[in-house]
């Protein structure tokens, strides 16, 4: 399969699915569900194919910059045969899209994006299965759902800042409608809050993108001229030259940071999340927590840090402190909730704090080794949280379907009535808590290690938060599952469909805890390490002043390729 | 200053064929309505007159397209044109200057493209007009629409101040009348009167400004004005009280036509009071034409006064336009937040859009892309016009079935007409500027031109203006989403909801949706076309100009010959 076909169909297949779903005649709701599930399953399959190629093929897992440099940009529609400029099998494609502004249709995969792509495929398939209970306007629901999946996939694929932004914005609308039409009682408020927060955040991102595009340059960079949206080229420029000086990088970083922290979310931009989660229907909560929040994290690791390494370095303490504060704040807020779903939502904020902290723990003294721990931990946290939080929201939805309440104080004793449900929940909750042997632990230990190396105070606080996490998780387990409660003793246990949805996540929680290296890190961390390397190089160079690049021999590789 | 134009060439009338056709067709419509259709019942008479009008629009459109074909052939494949038209016509059409009627009107690709745009939009507006009964004087109504369009086409083509003013008045007087056509509604009469009073005062001021310009430069031709002013060097307007007054008076005139703050007061009342199709035509056709001619006057004729000293608040109009743009977009969006009336909301939204476009006007004068930067504004205008024609077709729908125009009248539309509801969603998204719809690319193109500058004193201010514009688009999301909310999250009223839309309403909505979607997903063709026509549009030179430009030594190392208006003198070191 050529790259062109593979990478395009990754986002196009769900989009076609959305169209097909709309064409299904009225009255055949079951067919709609089968079709939608089929298309999401195909999406997951394609993601797995991409992963297999990435892991198995040396052409594909070479550094992104090398692969991108090997490609000649072809104008579109090309007079030559399709794919003329591509090197086949390296998982990068680029075409001209809007030549007037040098905007390209530029997709590519590396370890970071392919891992999140598989996560997207998995969570959306499970969420699609979890949507079978939706009765209201089924066609509209699935069409929007598939549109959402398509745009999320596109975000992880895009290597052109502009294309990234387009996919990023397209995500908003289906999400808005999915919350506003199929949500709970306060759905309109939650939906508009989500929409406005995210739109507001994306303006910051757009401003940062435009600054990068128009910056005239502080120091010569081997013939490089701005006026490109090419993420890979810009990353290389930012890490190997002083073209983007320290002052402008500070600005670019802050703009990206604010934009993506809204999406992540982190304190102080988090307030849309509890509302959106509580009001969203269960499958949408799964998507929201499992994938959508990762878009924020992906933006940080792909754009904010690599494109403005010196800025990131200057701001690192603030950001790290923000991360620690989010961890503590999220955990404390979670502890205070009586609504099960809101509790899980706040736990998401707490966990996303680890992502911020892991990225920001930039102690570069003595090499970037410890910093690489932090970023790997942040990436791993995104995957682990994607698995556990999707599962947690699903489990909350299960109990809400049966008991029609999410009030923690009125639940209790569910373990007696629903033993399978209880067992699965324990694994997931402990995984989220970070119990050694489960997925959350790997992430947390990496992040906390890096944090200790960065600042002992922050490290201690982040480590102490583990106690808080354990506190609210265990307390929740106690309030929901343990004890005796006559009210719920007749609740049926999980159905086969529900087990099918929960089981993969439970299995992954365990596997990712036991075999982090062979399962994920083996192919993911080279890419992460390359990002770390670039960031470390760039921040060191620009900290030394823009003229530091003159020590370098030769122009950067990507600039030469252009 | 004598203008060495060729003697009057009767073939010039061929090149304004669309305008001639429309003018005549207006008479045909009036006469036919009087003679044939008056005795029919209201419904069939409306459809018949509407259809007749559409035929005229179709003919004019055909002639405009034919002219477009000829003109593009003249540029790309002259020998073929020779074979098709014969030598004398072919050489006439491939004349390089593209000016007709003693240089007062432009012709050629830019004019043809704009004519096609106007006529397509007019077709949609006329079609919308047949949707519901708001007047009995059908022949006169449709004729006025046609003649207003003649005014717009000539306005957009004008290359000379007096022609500009006559065309402007032709356009607006027709629109004054048309907005008062719904006699059963006092609001409509109020709209007409208000529009007329504001409009005539601003026209008077505008004319006064034009007279100053003539007094200062001794010519009324845009290109000649530009050349005269260009000799002023970097001092520009400094100490030139008359010039400053002329500039401000002209800004009042244009500000009124495009509804820029603080000359916007008429817009909400007129948009709300006038019949929906007329509001549509005021919001789109009139605005497009006014902006096109504003681009011509400010970039071509008054280009040397843009920012001659390379400072924002230096002696030039750039600072004033920047302030106007900032005030217009902010005020428009904030005021729109409070609206519950659909047409009034669109009025404020169109004020806000005028603000974005003014950013484009400011940007085009300083962008390093030269006149091509104005292509961004043209692209925006096209997209904006289509989205608004669609949006006002919805207003016609509301007026037809609910006899109202509140946003709440749209409640539950998603249930009753799901396909059109999706189309309306697309239109609203395009107006917000959400990718991948064309409104986003329009905004982006304008903002990118604003940022595409060499190192200059204006750079930072324009960057802040762009930031303000971006935040304004977030604010605007709030009120456009209200429309989506009404359609999707509210229940339709059990009785008296919106009925099925007939083609008169559905077609404009669908066409607008298709245009904004297509131009969003594949923006390049339209963007390239607009950038391509922006240069000849803003550099049309009168016939005596060639010698002068040739004599001027090329400034600096600029490779391509630049039009005089763009040779902004650099700041003295």
């Amino acid at each position: 399969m050529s790259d062109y076909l593979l990478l395009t169909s990754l986002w196009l297949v769900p989009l076609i699915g959305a169209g097909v779903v709309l064409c299904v005649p009225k009255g055949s709701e079951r067919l709609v569900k089968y079709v939608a599930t089929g298309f999401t399953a195909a999406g997951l399959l394609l993601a797995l194919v991409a992963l297999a190629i990435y892991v198995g093929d040396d052409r594909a897992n070479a550094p992104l910059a090398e692969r991108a440099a090997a490609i000649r940009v072809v104008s579109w529609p090309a007079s030559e045969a399709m794919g003329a400029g591509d090197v086949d099998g390296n998982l990068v494609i680029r075409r001209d899209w809007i030549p007037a502004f040098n905007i390209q249709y530029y997709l590519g995969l590396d370890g970071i994006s392919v891992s999140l792509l598989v996560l997207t495929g998995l969570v959306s398939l499970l969420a699609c299965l979890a949507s079978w209970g939706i009765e209201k306007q089924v066609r509209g629901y699935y069409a929007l759902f598939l549109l959402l999946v398509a745009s999320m996939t596109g975000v992880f694929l895009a290597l052109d800042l502009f294309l990234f932004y387009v996919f990023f914005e397209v995500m908003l609308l289906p999400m808005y409608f999915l919350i506003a039409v199929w949500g709970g009682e306060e759905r309109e408020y939650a939906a508009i809050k989500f929409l406005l927060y995210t739109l507001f955040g994306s303006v910051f991102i757009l401003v940062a993108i435009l600054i990068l595009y128009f910056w005239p340059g502080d120091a010569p960079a081997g013939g490089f001229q701005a006026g490109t949206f090419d993420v890979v080229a810009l990353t290389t420029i930012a890490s190997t030259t002083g073209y983007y000086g320290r002052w402008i990088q500070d600005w670019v970083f802050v703009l990206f940071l604010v934009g993506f922290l809204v999406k992540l979310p982190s304190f102080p931009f988090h307030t849309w999340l509890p509302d959106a989660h509580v009001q969203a229907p269960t499958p949408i909560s799964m998507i929201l927590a499992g994938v959508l929040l990762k878009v924020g994290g992906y933006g940080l690791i792909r754009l904010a840090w690599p494109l403005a390494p010196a800025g990131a370095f200057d701001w690192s303490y603030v950001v790290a402190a923000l991360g620690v504060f989010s961890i503590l704040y999220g955990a404390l807020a979670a502890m205070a909730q009586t609504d099960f779903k809101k509790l899980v939502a706040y736990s998401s904020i707490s966990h996303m704090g680890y992502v911020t902290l892991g990225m920001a723990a930039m102690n570069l003294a003595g090499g970037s080794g410890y910093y690489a721990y932090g970023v790997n931990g942040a990436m791993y946290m995104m995957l682990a949280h994607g698995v556990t939080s999707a599962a947690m929201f699903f489990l909350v939805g299960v109990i809400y379907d049966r008991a029609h309440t999410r009030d923690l104080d009125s639940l209790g004793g569910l373990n007696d009535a629903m033993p399978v449900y209880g067992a699965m929940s324990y694994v997931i909750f402990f995984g989220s808590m970070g119990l050694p042997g489960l997925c959350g632990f790997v992430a947390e230990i990496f992040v906390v290690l890096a944090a200790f190396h960065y600042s002992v105070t922050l490290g201690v606080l982040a480590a102490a938060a583990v106690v808080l996490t354990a506190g609210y998780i265990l307390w929740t387990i106690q309030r929901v599952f343990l004890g005796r409660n006559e009210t719920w003793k007749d609740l049926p246990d999980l159905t086969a469909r529900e087990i099918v949805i929960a089981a993969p996540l439970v299995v992954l929680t365990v596997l990712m805890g036991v075999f982090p290296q062979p399962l994920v890190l083996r192919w993911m961390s080279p890419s992460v390490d390359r990002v770390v390397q670039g960031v470390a190089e760039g921040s060191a160079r620009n900290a030394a002043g823009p003229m530091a690049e003159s020590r370098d021999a030769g122009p950067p590789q990507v600039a030469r390729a252009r | 200053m004598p203008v060495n134009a060729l003697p009057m060439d009767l073939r010039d009338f061929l090149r304004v064929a669309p305008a001639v056709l429309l003018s005549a067709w207006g008479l045909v419509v009036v006469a036919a309505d009087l003679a044939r259709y008056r005795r029919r019942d209201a419904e069939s008479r409306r459809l018949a007159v509407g259809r007749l009008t559409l035929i005229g629009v179709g003919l004019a459109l055909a002639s405009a397209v034919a002219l477009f074909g000829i003109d593009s052939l003249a540029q790309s494949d002259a020998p073929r044109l020779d074979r098709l038209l014969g030598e004398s016509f072919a050489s006439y059409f491939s004349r390089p200057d593209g000016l007709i009627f003693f240089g007062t009107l432009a012709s050629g690709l830019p004019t043809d493209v704009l004519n096609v745009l106007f006529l397509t939009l007019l077709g949609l507006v006329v079609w919308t007009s047949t949707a519901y009964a708001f007047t009995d004087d059908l022949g006169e109504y449709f004729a006025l629409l046609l003649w207003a369009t003649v005014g717009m086409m000539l306005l957009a083509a004008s290359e000379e101040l007096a022609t500009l003013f006559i065309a402007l008045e032709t356009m607006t007087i027709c629109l004054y009348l048309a907005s008062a056509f719904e006699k059963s509604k006092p609001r409509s009469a109020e709209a007409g009167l208000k529009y007329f009073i504001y409009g005539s005062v601003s026209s008077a001021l505008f004319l006064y400004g034009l007279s100053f310009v003539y007094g200062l430069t001794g010519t009324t031709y845009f290109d000649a004005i530009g050349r005269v002013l260009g000799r002023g060097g970097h001092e520009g307007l400094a100490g030139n009280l008359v010039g400053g007054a002329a500039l401000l008076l002209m800004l009042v005139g244009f500000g009124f036509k495009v509804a820029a703050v603080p000359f916007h007061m008429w817009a909400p009342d007129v948009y709300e009071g006038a019949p929906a199709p007329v509001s549509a035509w005021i919001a789109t056709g009139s605005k497009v034409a006014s902006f096109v001619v504003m681009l011509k006057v400010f970039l071509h004729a008054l280009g040397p006064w843009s920012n001659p000293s390379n400072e924002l608040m230096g002696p030039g109009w750039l600072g004033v336009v920047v302030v106007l743009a900032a005030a217009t977009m902010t005020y428009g969006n904030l005021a729109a937040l409070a609206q519950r009336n659909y047409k009034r909301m669109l009025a404020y939204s169109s004020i806000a859009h005028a603000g974005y476009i003014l950013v484009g006007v400011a940007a085009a004068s300083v962008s390093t892309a030269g006149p091509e930067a104005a292509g961004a504004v043209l692209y925006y205008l096209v997209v904006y016009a289509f989205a608004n024609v669609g949006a006002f077709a919805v207003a016609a729908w509301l007026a037809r079935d609910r006899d109202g125009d509140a946003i709440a009248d749209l409640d539950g539309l998603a249930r009753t007409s799901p396909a059109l509801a999706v189309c309306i969603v697309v239109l609203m998204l395009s107006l917000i500027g959400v990718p991948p719809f064309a409104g986003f690319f329009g905004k982006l193109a304008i903002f990118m031109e604003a940022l595409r500058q060499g190192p200059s004193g204006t750079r930072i201010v324009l960057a802040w203006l762009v930031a303000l514009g971006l935040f304004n688009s977030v604010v605007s999301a709030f009120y456009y989403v209200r429309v989506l909310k009404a359609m999707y999250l509210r229940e339709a009223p059990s009785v008296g909801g919106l009925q099925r839309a007939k083609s008169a309403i559905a077609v404009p909505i669908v066409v607008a949706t298709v245009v904004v979607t297509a131009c969003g997903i594949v923006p390049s063709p339209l963007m390239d076309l607009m950038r391509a026509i922006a240069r000849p549009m803003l550099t049309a030179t009168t016939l005596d100009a060639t010698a002068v430009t040739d004599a001027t030594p090329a400034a600096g190392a600029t490779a391509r010959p630049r039009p005089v208006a763009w040779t902004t003198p650099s700041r003295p070191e």
Side-chain angles (χ1 to χ4, degrees), chain B residues 396-421:
Chain B
W397 196 0
L398 293 178
R400 188 193 73 179
D401 290 347
R402 307 269 307 172
D403 196 25
D405 39 23
I407 295 178
D409 286 330
L410 284 164
D411 283 358
L413 190 68
R415 219 59 54 76
T416 46
S417 318
L420 282 180

Side-chain angles (χ1 to χ4, degrees), chain A residues 281-551:
Chain A
T282 303
I284 300 310
S285 282
M286 289 170 71
I287 292 269
L288 190 58
V291 184
L292 217 65
L293 305 189
K294 276 68 206 175
V295 171
Y298 176 75
L300 291 179
I301 195 171
R302 173 72 79 204
L303 304 180
W305 262 265
L307 295 185
F313 189 73
D314 287 348
W315 284 95
S316 66
Y317 196 85
V318 177
V319 182
L322 205 62
V324 171
F325 188 81
S326 273
I327 297 172
L328 295 170
Y329 172 85
L332 288 171
M335 217 177 257
Q337 301 306 318
T338 53
D339 183 319
F340 201 172
K341 221 171 175 182
K342 228 172 188 160
L343 181 143
V344 181
Y346 276 106
S347 86
S348 287
I349 297 174
S350 175
H351 282 110
M352 288 298 111
Y354 282 103
V355 175
T356 325
L357 176 62
M359 296 289 309
M362 298 176 73
N363 186 349
L364 302 172
S368 54
Y370 281 100
Y371 180 46
Y373 279 1
V375 181
N376 273 306
M379 258 324 280
Y380 208 82
M381 177 54 94
M382 294 216 274
L383 300 178
H385 179 261
V387 170
T388 55
S389 70
M392 280 164 94
F393 278 111
F394 173 68
L395 293 169
V396 174
V398 165
I399 197 65
Y400 185 67
D401 281 348
R402 288 169 169 67
H404 303 290
T405 179
R406 293 188 302 255
D407 188 3
L408 286 170
D409 293 330
S410 60
L411 291 169
L414 290 180
N415 205 20
D416 290 346
M418 308 164 70
V420 180
Y421 177 71
M424 289 201 165
S425 303
Y426 294 151
V427 179
I428 296 293
F429 276 69
F430 286 134
S432 168
M433 187 177 89
L435 198 72
L438 298 176
C439 60
F441 175 73
V442 182
E444 280 177 24
I445 196 74
F446 273 141
V447 171
V448 172
L449 256 178
F452 263 111
H453 190 64
Y454 177 68
S455 152
V456 177
T457 322
L458 292 181
V460 169
L461 283 173
V466 173
V467 180
L468 291 178
T469 313
Y472 71 77
I473 295 270
L474 292 175
W475 194 26
T476 307
I477 289 179
Q478 182 198 334
R479 284 190 286 178
V480 175
F481 297 100
L482 307 183
R484 298 242 169 267
N485 192 332
E486 291 301 307
T487 331
W488 313 120
K489 73 176 182 345
D490 296 329
L491 289 185
D493 209 339
L494 295 183
T495 64
R497 179 177 64 87
E498 286 163 343
I499 292 179
V500 166
I501 298 168
L505 297 172
V506 171
V507 171
L508 269 179
T509 306
V510 177
L511 283 183
M512 282 173 66
V514 181
F515 301 115
Q517 183 69 24
L519 201 63
V520 179
L521 288 176
R522 178 169 61 91
W523 47 267
M524 189 180 78
S525 48
S527 300
V528 176
D529 291 346
R530 271 193 286 272
V531 169
V532 168
Q533 198 58 41
V535 171
E537 222 175 286
S539 54
R541 176 182 321 279
N542 281 291
M547 300 314 289
E549 64 102 28
S550 59
R551 286 201 304 267

Side-chain angles (χ1 to χ4, degrees), chain B residues 162-537:
Chain B
T163 319
L164 182 163
F165 188 75
I166 292 167
L168 190 71
E169 287 305 287
T170 313
M171 173 184 89
T172 37
I173 288 173
C174 293
L175 289 176
Y176 299 151
L177 289 172
S179 46
F181 249 62
E182 196 164 8
K183 285 186 204 151
S184 58
K185 294 240 170 81
R187 299 220 62 148
S188 177
E190 183 197 329
L193 191 63
K194 218 167 214 169
Y195 194 19
F196 172 64
I197 291 175
Y198 273 104
S200 40
V201 171
S202 80
S203 290
L205 294 176
F206 184 58
L207 192 57
Y208 198 37
L210 300 189
S211 70
F212 280 167
V213 173
Y214 178 68
L216 281 174
T217 58
T219 176
T220 56
Y221 291 88
F222 294 170
D223 187 54
I225 294 173
R227 268 179 287 127
V228 173
L229 296 185
R231 288 187 210 125
H234 64 268
E235 282 162 23
L237 271 172
N240 189 344
L241 194 62
V242 183
L247 203 57
L248 284 183
L249 289 170
M250 290 174 81
L251 267 179
V252 172
F254 284 122
F256 169 81
K257 294 297 174 232
V258 303
V261 173
F263 315 110
H264 65 283
M265 312 290 196
W266 59 276
D269 289 335
V270 172
Y271 284 33
E272 188 187 350
V278 179
S279 308
W281 204 218
I282 295 174
T284 57
S286 141
K287 214 167 217 176
V288 172
S290 307
F291 263 117
V292 167
V293 78
M294 183 175 180
L295 281 176
K296 283 187 170 183
V297 170
F298 275 74
L299 297 182
H300 193 179
L302 306 181
W305 276 355
S306 158
N307 61 336
S309 66
N310 224 345
E311 285 161 6
L312 184 76
M313 285 303 163
W317 53 260
L318 185 69
V320 189
V321 171
V322 164
V323 171
L324 275 188
T328 304
M329 61 191 175
T330 313
Y331 178 84
N333 278 320
L334 292 182
L337 285 180
Q339 305 307 322
R340 295 274 182 268
N341 181 300
Y342 180 75
K343 274 159 92 183
R344 236 182 145 73
M345 181 207 89
L346 284 182
Y348 281 109
S349 107
S350 93
I351 293 175
H353 283 282
Y356 302 133
I357 300 172
L358 282 174
V359 176
V361 175
S365 76
V366 285
S367 168
T368 50
E372 276 174 16
V377 177
L378 295 178
Y379 179 89
Y380 195 100
L381 283 171
V382 173
V383 172
Y384 158 86
F386 274 101
N388 260 293
V389 163
F392 275 105
V394 177
W397 196 0
L398 293 178
R400 188 193 73 179
D401 290 347
R402 307 269 307 172
D403 196 25
D405 39 23
I407 295 178
D409 286 330
L410 284 164
D411 283 358
L413 190 68
R415 219 59 54 76
T416 46
S417 318
L420 282 180
V422 170
C423 291
I424 298 172
V425 170
V426 170
L427 294 179
M428 293 299 138
L429 290 181
S430 178
L431 287 172
I432 300 175
V434 173
F437 300 109
F440 170 71
F441 290 96
K443 237 174 234 177
L444 189 87
I446 281 186
F447 292 159
M448 287 182 60
E449 293 303 348
L451 296 175
R452 185 182 286 186
Q453 304 171 41
S456 73
T458 57
R459 192 182 173 108
I460 290 295
V461 177
L462 283 182
W464 281 111
L465 194 63
V466 168
L468 182 68
L470 291 172
F471 280 102
N472 264 304
S473 5
V474 176
V475 172
S476 74
F478 196 78
Y479 58 83
Y480 290 120
V481 164
R482 234 179 235 153
V483 174
L484 314 192
K485 251 178 161 169
M487 292 191 302
Y488 281 86
L489 309 184
R490 303 275 176 276
E491 292 302 319
S494 45
V495 281
L498 290 176
Q499 305 300 309
R500 243 177 64 84
K502 295 216 185 72
S503 65
I505 290 162
V507 168
I509 298 178
V510 171
V511 168
T513 309
V514 169
V515 169
V516 297
T517 314
C519 295
I521 291 170
V522 194
S524 294
L526 184 62
M527 188 83 83
D528 292 344
L529 178 67
M530 290 303 158
R531 291 174 80 88
I533 66 167
R535 175 172 290 275
M537 186 179 98

